[in-house]
Amino acid sequence: MRNIVMLMLGVTLSTSLAAQTTIGGKFSKILPNGVDVDRVFFSKPDDGGLMTVEEMLKSKTDQTFQAALKPADLNVIRYVGVYEEQYPVYLKPGEKLTIEAGDGKINYSGNLSKENQVFAAWYKLIAPLRNYGYTKKGYTLPPDGYVSLLDSLEKPVQDFVKNIRTGNDSFDKQVKYLLPFSYKFDVLMPLATGLSFRSKNEYPAQVVKLIEEEKYADANLWSLPMAYHYMINLSFVKYILFNNKQGIAAEMLVPEITDNPLRANFVLAHAQRGTTQSLVKFLEGNSKYMMNDKQKKELALLLRRANLQVAGGSWIDFTYPDVNGKMHSLSENLGKVVLLDLWATWCAPCLAEVPALEKLQKELQGKDVVFISLSLDTDKAKWQNMVKQKQLSGVQLFSNSEPNFMQDYEVTEIPRYIVFDKNGKTVNFSAPRPSDPKLKTLIESNL
């Protein structure tokens, strides 16, 4: 009986493994520092871009990657890629998809579903165009070749999309909306990455048509994974390159977006991802475009965070424990200048500044200034031991890298030193380090 049970269990496990859906292969992407990426991202569309579902590490021996997919990622369009180079996939239960990608090209192999056959044929069709936007020196290719290539691709691309018939009606509808925008995105990519023309008359007819006719009138655009970057690239080409305007292209674009929900989504996305001349002014000037309470609250939070970073802006309060568990709030220090030191026990540059910070505290002892060192560690015991062993001065607090604080203060690197005045207003959001005499001068000027 036991042998029968074990045999049945073996059959069940074999069937389960055989039915497992996997994606794998090779993906080459050289970063600006000359290093190949060490992971590939599996993502889904979200908020005009992509949200990572899984990071697939590449093998150090043969640079391949592989992952088994979860049920939620089957029978839907997902994306595999690195940074701006992303490729759609559509996997069914039990399918094993292998890709080999890089420099704008991809080869899909395996027992491909009809859906993945569509994607494979699509990227084979437009491969010559992607030479211009996704290879290291694509922008140096002759512009005349780019123009003639667009002319030659126009009808084949239209026919390809028109003739998509996989028998999966939902998929066919999605890709007939997706691929035309994907194509327009790839048409713009060479211009966004450096391909140039001397005058308006030299621009391809397809690009000119896109510049003149795109009114951003369809809210569904935001459902696409390239929506935000499509709008950014087209605005850059239209305003900066084609019309020779000065300024931030995205800021010029906002008033021209004709669909109200799309405009609100773009404003919020750009405030979080893009560059502005003044984030505070950008948010204040576009607050009127928010459509509902959720968007209004999100903009208000972004504005609060933006104000924190400019001189005269208000601090955002926080409360964290010291080594003994006693809670301390930033707002307890009104009436004193505050130096906020963001650090961690694993941060070598932070530790290198400790002697200078201790010296500065002694020099300003008795003055209306408080030194708050806020640890971004997640190992509380390690932090407590270092504070006690080194007998660190000032107010030592433990944040556990709490997400709200990290977002409020946009912590992307440490050490960072922030100076607030006696009224809780920002003096300098990125102040000099303690080893720089300018920090002491800055503090003393606000006492």
Side-chain angles (χ1 to χ4, degrees), residues 28-164:
S28 177
K29 184 69 174 179
I30 305 301
L31 298 173
N33 61 4
V35 177
D36 194 2
V37 293
D38 65 351
R39 66 198 64 201
V40 181
F41 300 94
F42 186 73
S43 309
K44 64 180 181 179
D46 179 71
D47 194 28
L50 287 170
M51 175 189 292
T52 300
V53 173
E54 184 173 354
E55 293 186 14
M56 302 177 289
L57 293 176
K58 294 166 65 174
S59 166
K60 292 182 178 179
T61 55
D62 60 8
Q63 299 299 300
T64 61
F65 71 92
Q66 183 168 322
L69 303 190
K70 299 179 177 64
D73 297 314
L74 305 182
N75 297 317
V76 291
I77 297 176
R78 291 291 187 255
Y79 293 83
V80 58
V82 180
Y83 305 112
E84 81 286 348
E85 193 171 344
Q86 302 284 343
Y87 298 96
V89 296
Y90 187 101
L91 285 100
K92 297 182 177 181
E95 187 174 356
K96 299 183 185 301
L97 176 64
T98 300
I99 70 165
E100 187 165 350
D103 285 338
K105 297 181 180 63
I106 183 170
N107 179 58
Y108 296 73
S109 61
N111 186 19
L112 299 183
S113 63
K114 289 183 179 180
E115 291 84 356
N116 282 327
Q117 289 176 30
V118 169
F119 293 138
W122 170 258
Y123 283 101
K124 184 176 181 180
L125 172 66
I126 65 169
L129 171 61
R130 290 171 68 85
N131 280 335
Y132 283 85
Y134 294 90
T135 55
K136 189 173 182 180
K137 294 187 176 181
Y139 69 93
T140 65
L141 295 173
D144 290 348
Y146 168 70
V147 175
S148 60
L149 180 58
L150 292 188
D151 289 339
S152 69
L153 281 174
E154 185 171 15
K155 189 173 187 306
V157 163
Q158 292 173 355
D159 290 343
F160 183 97
V161 174
K162 181 181 178 181
N163 293 321
I164 293 174

Side-chain angles (χ1 to χ4, degrees), residues 46 77-78 84 101 117 123 129 138 143 153 186 191 195 217 224 257 279 294 317 323 359 364 388 396 411:
D46 179 71
I77 297 176
R78 291 291 187 255
E84 81 286 348
Q117 289 176 30
Y123 283 101
L129 171 61
L153 281 174
D186 286 343
L191 297 169
L195 187 70
L224 300 179
I257 301 173
L279 183 54
K294 181 182 178 181
D317 200 13
V323 289
K359 179 174 181 289
L364 294 175
K388 292 176 181 178
Q396 298 289 333
V411 181

Side-chain angles (χ1 to χ4, degrees), residues 170-231:
S170 175
F171 172 84
D172 292 352
K173 182 178 179 180
Q174 287 184 68
V175 294
K176 285 184 177 183
Y177 185 74
L178 164 67
L179 294 185
F181 277 105
S182 177
Y183 175 67
K184 288 188 282 189
F185 184 82
D186 286 343
V187 166
L188 294 169
M189 183 61 78
L191 297 169
T193 54
L195 187 70
S196 61
F197 294 93
R198 290 171 294 183
S199 69
K200 290 183 178 181
N201 294 333
E202 295 181 354
Y203 275 76
Q206 287 185 48
V207 174
V208 175
K209 183 179 180 182
L210 193 53
I211 288 171
E212 294 176 346
E213 295 185 0
E214 180 61 84
K215 303 301 180 186
Y216 308 101
D218 183 4
N220 289 328
L221 171 61
W222 204 246
S223 68
L224 300 179
M226 76 291 292
Y228 173 75
H229 285 104
Y230 165 72
M231 297 172 75

Side-chain angles (χ1 to χ4, degrees), residues 116-397:
N116 282 327
Q117 289 176 30
V118 169
F119 293 138
W122 170 258
Y123 283 101
K124 184 176 181 180
L125 172 66
I126 65 169
L129 171 61
R130 290 171 68 85
N131 280 335
Y132 283 85
Y134 294 90
T135 55
K136 189 173 182 180
K137 294 187 176 181
Y139 69 93
T140 65
L141 295 173
D144 290 348
Y146 168 70
V147 175
S148 60
L149 180 58
L150 292 188
D151 289 339
S152 69
L153 281 174
E154 185 171 15
K155 189 173 187 306
V157 163
Q158 292 173 355
D159 290 343
F160 183 97
V161 174
K162 181 181 178 181
N163 293 321
I164 293 174
R165 294 184 184 87
T166 64
N168 181 339
D169 293 342
S170 175
F171 172 84
D172 292 352
K173 182 178 179 180
Q174 287 184 68
V175 294
K176 285 184 177 183
Y177 185 74
L178 164 67
L179 294 185
F181 277 105
S182 177
Y183 175 67
K184 288 188 282 189
F185 184 82
D186 286 343
V187 166
L188 294 169
M189 183 61 78
L191 297 169
T193 54
L195 187 70
S196 61
F197 294 93
R198 290 171 294 183
S199 69
K200 290 183 178 181
N201 294 333
E202 295 181 354
Y203 275 76
Q206 287 185 48
V207 174
V208 175
K209 183 179 180 182
L210 193 53
I211 288 171
E212 294 176 346
E213 295 185 0
E214 180 61 84
K215 303 301 180 186
Y216 308 101
D218 183 4
N220 289 328
L221 171 61
W222 204 246
S223 68
L224 300 179
M226 76 291 292
Y228 173 75
H229 285 104
Y230 165 72
M231 297 172 75
I232 287 292
N233 287 352
L234 181 51
S235 62
F236 173 74
V237 171
K238 177 178 179 178
Y239 301 115
I240 308 303
L241 299 182
F242 192 73
N243 289 311
N244 292 313
K245 291 189 176 182
Q246 300 294 318
I248 305 295
E251 296 182 357
M252 302 178 202
L253 170 63
V254 173
E256 296 193 9
I257 301 173
T258 57
D259 181 81
N260 292 332
L262 180 59
R263 178 164 53 191
N265 283 326
F266 179 81
V267 167
L268 292 172
H270 190 66
Q272 294 172 321
R273 309 174 195 175
T275 300
T276 60
Q277 291 179 324
S278 166
L279 183 54
V280 171
K281 289 182 179 178
F282 178 79
L283 289 166
E284 289 176 341
N286 293 306
S287 61
K288 59 182 178 290
Y289 296 131
M290 299 301 101
M291 302 290 295
N292 51 51
D293 289 342
K294 181 182 178 181
Q295 290 175 337
K296 291 175 183 177
K297 288 179 181 178
E298 185 175 350
L299 186 137
L301 177 59
L302 291 172
L303 183 57
R304 187 181 177 207
R305 291 171 176 167
N307 269 310
L308 166 66
Q309 299 188 30
V310 299
S314 298
W315 64 27
I316 297 178
D317 200 13
F318 56 75
T319 303
Y320 293 114
D322 62 18
V323 289
N324 298 313
K326 182 180 179 180
M327 305 302 287
H328 296 265
S329 297
L330 179 61
S331 56
E332 294 172 358
N333 299 290
L334 281 172
K336 294 184 178 180
V337 173
V338 174
L339 173 66
L340 178 60
D341 160 32
L342 305 184
W343 75 292
T345 58
W346 44 261
C347 170
C350 301
L351 300 181
E353 290 293 326
V354 168
L357 181 61
E358 292 287 319
K359 179 174 181 289
L360 182 60
Q361 290 184 70
K362 289 181 181 179
E363 292 174 349
L364 294 175
Q365 192 171 6
K367 305 286 186 180
D368 286 335
V369 56
V370 61
F371 294 80
I372 300 177
S373 292
L374 182 58
S375 167
L376 304 182
D377 283 281
T378 54
D379 186 337
K380 191 172 185 177
K382 184 178 180 181
W383 164 74
Q384 287 175 320
N385 290 336
M386 181 171 287
V387 170
K388 292 176 181 178
Q389 289 174 4
K390 291 185 175 291
Q391 298 182 328
L392 299 181
S393 305
V395 181
Q396 298 289 333
L397 303 180

